[in-house]
Amino acid sequence: MRKLSVAELADHHRGPQFTSVLPGHVVQKGGFRVYADPNFRTHDEPGRHVHTVPEVFVIVQGSGAIEIDGAEVDKFQAGEAVVFEPGEDHHLISRGDQPLVFVWMHLEPVS
């Protein structure tokens, strides 16, 4: 897992490439989510939640904890991008007073 501030991202991108975070990768799919409930935990289905590709969360609003392999390892806040590596069991847990709002993207290597 890596965490960056949005300010650290390059000031321009070409097409769907997310080159300033993971060079050589493009967005495979993604979405926008809003969760108003406090203590909401993403991917809260039973078992491990992993992907075969990197997943990036860009936090638009809210704050909380980053969980990897069942343990809270860091915190996040609005204005940060959190990158989970392939195979990492990962979750975000909303802990702030504001609803958690984020954009998520699955990345894949450029062919």
Side-chain angles (χ1 to χ4, degrees), residues 20 23 55 88:
S20 61
E55 184 171 23
E88 280 187 316

Side-chain angles (χ1 to χ4, degrees), residues 3 5 9 16 30 34 36 42 61 79 84 103 108:
K3 187 171 67 171
S5 74
L9 302 177
V34 177
T42 61
Q61 177 181 287
F84 293 103
V103 175
E108 64 183 7

Side-chain angles (χ1 to χ4, degrees), residues 17-87:
Q17 296 190 24
F18 207 52
T19 56
S20 61
V21 174
L22 286 172
H25 285 75
V26 295
V27 176
Q28 177 189 65
K29 64 181 176 178
F32 182 82
R33 299 282 189 267
V34 177
Y35 296 105
D37 296 333
N39 297 312
F40 175 82
R41 181 176 181 254
T42 61
H43 316 302
D44 209 17
E45 66 275 357
R48 291 173 48 85
H49 182 84
V50 299
H51 303 285
T52 59
V53 297
E55 184 171 23
V56 178
F57 290 86
V58 179
I59 310 303
V60 176
Q61 177 181 287
S63 60
I66 299 169
E67 181 182 284
I68 296 180
D69 293 323
E72 290 186 19
V73 299
D74 205 342
K75 296 180 189 297
F76 68 86
Q77 63 185 6
E80 293 180 326
V82 181
V83 181
F84 293 103
E85 302 299 332

